[in-house]
Amino acid sequence: MIRFYFHPTPNPAKIALFLEEAKLPYEVIPVDTSRGEQHLPAFRAINPNGKVPAIVDTDGPGGKEARVFDSTAMLLYLAEKTGQFLATPADRPELLSWLLFIASGLGPFSGQAVHFQFAAPEGLAYAVNRYRREAGRHYQVLNDHLSSRQFIVGDTYTIADISAWGWLDRASRVLKGADDPLSSYPHLKRLFLTVDHRPAVARARVVGADRDFKKINDEETRRALFPSNYPLV
Ligand SMILES: N[C@@H](CCC(=O)N[C@@H](CS)C(=O)NCC(=O)O)C(=O)O
């Protein structure tokens, strides 16, 4: 059994999609980051970085319980555990390269673009421009790579595609104001739609929908999500 520490945000969405694709049994454990539950000691014992997603696999290596935090580590762990959505050994260098490109580039720049357009004080044009443009540049790199291929790595759907889907699904927030945010990146848009039409995506989208996650963005939420904006306690 996998315990899946979840909040309805892009990085946990990748893991929801993997779990649904692989049909692994799992239990959703809500972590309401808007209420600050990511900072509770019990959760920090699972992810010392205080962010979702995280998993605890009660049947980890050697039959022992294992925690895994950080969505890319979790995708690799689960793909290796199940032997699913993992590229061939020959494609391993490509898989690692693109997974880390998404983990360290496309994802964080997208996240910062969303932050500066939706959460930061208005008027920070330099930051908005930098993060929108960097997110767009990463889109372009992936778009060019996909111009002659169906999936990111090898000939089949892998965890690299699952990882990209999590953030591409938020393109309308990353490129706020664009009617069709991926229209300038046709190969990337094709990949996104290919993944998005998979039956497992519909199931992944309702993970946690029955839980009462806080939706109000008040002072408690801002302190929980952006503690670096406040004095050290
Ligand atoms: N590198 C981490 C990033 C995780 C992350 O930023 N998670 C966000 C949700 S998508 C989060 O927990 N935000 C709440 C917070 O930062 O307090 C991963 O890929 O799992």
Side-chain angles (χ1 to χ4, degrees):
M1 172 62 86
I2 307 275
R3 293 202 292 273
F4 176 27
Y5 294 83
F6 174 84
H7 185 266
T9 35
N11 290 305
K14 305 170 188 175
I15 307 308
L17 178 53
F18 184 97
L19 291 168
E20 285 299 331
E21 291 282 15
K23 298 195 167 68
L24 279 173
Y26 67 95
E27 176 191 3
V28 175
I29 304 193
V31 179
D32 199 335
T33 55
S34 294
R35 291 193 164 96
E37 291 176 1
Q38 70 275 41
H39 305 304
L40 296 176
F43 182 67
R44 288 287 177 121
I46 295 160
N47 184 354
N49 193 31
K51 292 188 187 292
V52 284
I55 57 169
V56 170
D57 181 0
T58 58
D59 184 25
K64 295 199 179 119
E65 194 165 281
R67 72 168 187 199
V68 192
F69 59 87
D70 211 289
S71 59
T72 307
M74 296 164 65
L75 287 173
L76 275 166
Y77 174 80
L78 292 169
E80 284 173 352
K81 179 184 171 82
T82 60
Q84 295 192 67
F85 311 112
L86 200 56
T88 62
D91 285 327
R92 184 79 167 178
E94 282 290 298
L95 180 74
L96 292 174
S97 301
W98 288 107
L99 276 177
L100 272 292
F101 165 87
I102 295 162
S104 64
L106 191 145
F109 281 113
S110 297
Q112 294 302 323
V114 172
H115 177 85
F116 282 101
Q117 294 175 97
F118 289 91
E122 284 188 13
L124 299 174
Y126 177 95
V128 169
N129 179 65
R130 170 168 168 74
Y131 290 116
R132 278 180 68 109
R133 293 283 285 274
E134 272 298 304
R137 192 183 66 75
H138 281 78
Y139 285 180
Q140 190 66 54
V141 170
L142 201 46
N143 183 70
D144 293 347
H145 173 67
L146 286 163
S147 65
S148 57
R149 52 188 313 119
Q150 192 185 0
F151 295 106
I152 298 175
V153 177
D155 298 325
T156 57
Y157 175 61
T158 68
I159 51 174
D161 306 301
I162 293 176
S163 185
W165 172 84
W167 270 106
L168 294 176
D169 194 38
R170 302 300 172 105
S172 62
R173 286 172 70 77
V174 173
L175 300 180
K176 181 182 175 187
D179 286 341
D180 184 0
L182 294 180
S183 61
S184 303
Y185 314 96
H187 308 296
L188 192 59
K189 182 171 173 177
R190 187 231 329 127
L191 175 83
F192 171 72
L193 292 175
T194 299
V195 178
D196 205 52
H197 289 148
R198 293 178 67 89
V201 166
R203 300 195 299 275
R205 285 192 187 286
V206 296
V207 168
D210 55 340
R211 308 304 173 102
D212 179 30
F213 289 105
K214 181 177 174 185
K215 294 189 180 63
I216 301 162
N217 186 6
D218 59 11
E219 181 67 8
E220 177 199 45
T221 301
R222 288 189 290 277
R223 282 182 179 269
L225 293 179
F226 315 124
S228 54
N229 293 340
Y230 296 86
L232 280 171
V233 283

